[in-house]
Amino acid sequence: MSNVPDDLKYASSHEWVRVSGETSTVGITDHAQEELTDVVFVELPEVGRVVEAGEAVAVVESVKTASDIYSPVAGEIVEVNTRVSEDPSLVNSSPYEDGWFYRVRSAGAPDTSGLMDAAAYREQIGS
Amino acid sequence: MLKRTALYDSHIDAGARIVEFGGWEMPVQYSGIRPEHLEVRSGVGVFDISHMGQLMVSGPESAAFLNRALTNDIAKLSPGLGQYTLLCHDQNSGGTIDDLYVFCLNPSEYLLILNASRFDDDRKFLEGLLASYPGRADVTLNNLSSSNSALALQGPGSPAIADALFGAVIDSGAPSGIPRNHIAALQAGGSVFGDGTILLSRTGYTGEDGFEIMAPHSVIQRIWSELTDRHNVLPIGLGARDTLRLEAGYPLYGHELDEKTSPIEAGVKWAVAMDKGDFSGRESIRACMDNPDRRMLIGLEMVDKAPPPRQGYALFSSADADEPSGVVTSGTLSPSLGKGIALGFVPKSDAAVGRNWWVEIRGRKFKAVQCRRSFLSKAG
């Protein structure tokens, strides 16, 4: 049974977003890390890059496969979690806290209208 | 319609994640590829390999027929001994139909262990060869896979487990006494395993010591239960099977070998006996050997921090080369070494252990060093 915190927004491609003013923190869900199993490599975007919602911005790799991470919100990348590229296992052990990927800043409040709440995401993953 | 092995329900009970492989629904992992991999390197694990084809070739002309079909020399096999060998086309530079293991059970019985995805093509090709073979009346091909399952017990702890498992059914010595590449037949009659012959070989595909076990479905089901329940042996999925064989530098059909690739290119020339007389593919294999522009399979280790190399990534001879020189055929982050490793093809004339190649990953080139294909061997 995957953990799906109530205070986050979710993309159908299994990213989560934690909105704080104009800044959104992005990572992948507990369900996603369970599906991937042991994460062995994380490739993060460059700080300063401007990204569209739905754009492939990062890559997470398990022993077996490489998967794209799509930005759930648009804006400028203002911070990346270098700890997770040094220790990719944080994605498995702490997907919603230490295992976050990057922060993106939007002009005004980010548009989260295309994202799901926790209840809808739980339904999607059958959790 | 995908096929299921006799152990399918056991895999589900053990929490396996199931994938399609070679026409079968197979466990890709249970607890995780990394822990399963590391358990086989340091302890012992058990794999369901029932998807692999088991073909019995019997009759007084079997050895002579197989020596016309397969690349290695059957005459080197005394009863109880097995060898790695290949089945090749006469066209396409001796392109490979399959790579396999053949065991001599006795002078008129040979057991072939073939890849699941190739089993139908293998049988068709062998039947075609047999149809024009003068001694065909004295050779019978018998598909054992409909009645037999198979599993692999692998890891440094496997001899002790095999002895504990079969100690009571063997009167001719313990399994740990079976030499490498040899096979023994055990009669299970009256034992906890039920009735039937258990074939036990000291072989494997992990680079570790271990055994492969071929027996009727119900016997294999009981052996699996004994191993996983009573002896607490960890079940291992196809994911770790792939990373284990890659670290050992073993080719996998569909990656390093295919119908356009000669055994010479794939680095298994040692399993091709050019001096034994004619066999399927001999002339085109000879042409490949004489071709100075042929490809060669090399080992690669990533040098700096880099994403894991993967099948299909392009290989470049320098950091600023525009055109690729080769391609990765298998790659992963090695669980044992903690770095990216790969097998790939490059022009033989450019290959040299110790030189650098660059792997293109998502548009960027990452430096790798060419090394021996057996990534774990300590002897340089």
Side-chain angles (χ1 to χ4, degrees):
Chain A
M1 185 93 167
S2 301
N3 180 18
V4 182
D6 285 327
D7 59 332
L8 305 179
K9 295 283 190 184
Y10 298 88
S12 57
S13 47
H14 307 289
E15 295 85 5
W16 56 260
V17 183
R18 183 179 287 124
V19 178
S20 173
E22 295 183 341
T23 305
S24 304
T25 304
V26 176
I28 67 167
T29 66
D30 189 35
H31 174 76
Q33 70 80 19
E34 281 176 0
E35 287 294 309
L36 283 166
T37 71
D38 299 301
V39 174
V40 297
F41 193 88
V42 175
E43 193 167 292
L44 297 170
E46 284 185 22
V47 171
R49 179 172 158 190
V50 176
V51 301
E52 300 287 329
E55 186 178 333
V57 292
V59 179
V60 58
E61 302 209 35
S62 65
V63 172
K64 217 166 164 53
T65 52
S67 308
D68 283 325
I69 301 304
Y70 302 96
S71 191
V73 289
E76 180 186 347
I77 307 286
V78 291
E79 190 181 354
V80 295
N81 184 6
T82 51
R83 276 186 68 204
V84 85
S85 47
E86 281 154 23
D87 180 6
S89 71
L90 289 174
V91 178
N92 297 116
S93 59
S94 180
Y96 298 113
E97 300 298 334
D98 297 340
W100 63 278
F101 279 39
Y102 61 90
R103 293 200 169 99
V104 58
R105 190 170 59 215
S106 45
D111 178 8
T112 58
S113 57
L115 302 176
M116 286 177 272
D117 63 13
Y121 183 65
R122 275 187 207 111
E123 194 165 327
Q124 179 190 320
I125 62 174
S127 183
Chain B
M1 179 71 189
L2 294 175
K3 289 172 278 192
R4 291 178 175 181
T5 76
L7 296 169
Y8 180 84
D9 290 345
S10 303
H11 301 321
I12 300 299
D13 290 346
R17 189 171 301 181
I18 302 290
V19 296
E20 187 276 334
F21 183 80
W24 294 78
E25 286 188 272
M26 297 297 293
V28 65
Q29 63 168 70
Y30 306 81
S31 49
I33 294 174
R34 266 179 66 83
E36 291 169 29
H37 178 111
L38 297 173
E39 175 64 16
V40 172
R41 286 272 177 259
S42 64
V44 58
V46 62
F47 306 69
D48 180 8
I49 56 168
S50 306
H51 59 306
M52 301 200 72
Q54 300 183 35
L55 187 70
M56 190 70 87
V57 180
S58 50
E61 281 285 326
S62 299
F65 168 67
L66 287 174
N67 237 7
R68 295 280 298 201
L70 304 172
T71 59
N72 212 335
D73 190 0
I74 286 280
K76 288 181 181 157
L77 293 185
S78 49
L81 190 56
Q83 71 185 183
Y84 176 78
T85 185
L86 301 100
L87 182 62
C88 289
H89 282 294
D90 271 320
Q91 310 85 24
N92 300 330
S93 305
T96 306
I97 298 161
D98 205 356
D99 64 333
L100 61 141
Y101 235 83
V102 56
F103 293 101
C104 175
L105 302 182
N106 62 62
S108 61
E109 270 193 322
Y110 290 82
L111 176 64
L112 276 52
I113 308 293
L114 300 138
N115 282 303
S117 62
R118 305 300 301 156
F119 194 39
D120 291 342
D121 285 1
D122 294 339
R123 278 182 295 157
K124 265 182 226 148
F125 190 83
L126 287 170
E127 282 160 10
L129 283 181
L130 186 57
S132 59
Y133 183 70
R136 59 187 170 274
D138 290 318
V139 181
T140 305
L141 307 181
N142 186 14
N143 176 6
L144 297 188
S145 284
S146 47
S147 56
N148 268 15
S149 290
L151 52 81
L153 183 68
Q154 300 281 299
S158 56
I161 295 286
D163 283 355
L165 184 70
F166 293 119
V169 270
I170 300 186
D171 43 14
S172 56
S176 60
I178 300 172
R180 181 91 198 140
N181 285 330
H182 281 66
I183 192 165
L186 325 176
Q187 297 309 321
S191 73
V192 294
F193 304 121
D195 287 328
T197 302
I198 300 170
L199 291 170
L200 185 62
S201 66
R202 194 75 176 262
T203 51
Y205 192 49
T206 60
E208 297 297 331
D209 193 0
F211 301 85
E212 289 169 308
I213 307 167
M214 286 71 69
H217 298 316
S218 62
V219 175
I220 289 290
Q221 284 169 331
R222 283 178 198 154
I223 293 174
W224 179 275
S225 302
E226 285 284 304
L227 285 170
T228 55
D229 297 343
R230 211 156 68 82
H231 295 278
N232 295 315
V233 176
L234 197 70
I236 314 291
L238 291 182
R241 185 167 166 84
D242 189 41
T243 53
L244 288 159
R245 71 91 196 169
L246 183 52
E247 284 183 354
Y250 296 153
L252 172 61
Y253 197 92
H255 291 249
E256 287 71 41
L257 287 166
D258 58 37
E259 290 189 275
K260 295 211 164 79
T261 303
S262 160
I264 304 304
E265 297 169 298
V268 287
K269 183 182 169 190
W270 57 270
V272 180
M274 294 301 286
D275 55 357
K276 71 169 181 175
D278 197 23
F279 61 89
S280 179
R282 184 167 186 257
E283 289 318 306
S284 41
I285 287 172
R286 167 82 69 200
C288 181
M289 289 168 83
D290 292 341
N291 178 6
D293 300 324
R294 72 175 187 258
R295 299 176 302 159
M296 177 179 165
L297 188 70
I298 61 166
L300 291 165
E301 269 185 27
M302 302 311 288
V303 175
D304 307 310
K305 185 175 169 62
R310 309 269 182 202
Q311 181 182 21
Y313 289 177
L315 292 172
F316 293 80
S317 59
S318 72
D320 51 9
D322 293 328
E323 290 297 316
S325 298
V327 65
V328 171
T329 51
S330 295
T332 192
L333 189 110
S334 160
S336 301
L337 302 173
K339 59 175 126 180
I341 59 169
L343 295 172
F345 282 114
V346 296
K348 181 178 188 293
S349 51
D350 295 337
V353 167
R355 71 154 287 173
N356 290 122
W357 295 92
W358 280 260
V359 185
E360 188 178 60
I361 306 175
R362 299 186 279 275
R364 286 172 61 196
K365 292 194 183 82
F366 292 88
K367 190 155 87 172
V369 61
Q370 184 179 332
C371 57
R372 288 160 48 94
R373 291 193 305 269
S374 49
F375 296 98
L376 294 187
S377 69
K378 308 288 189 287

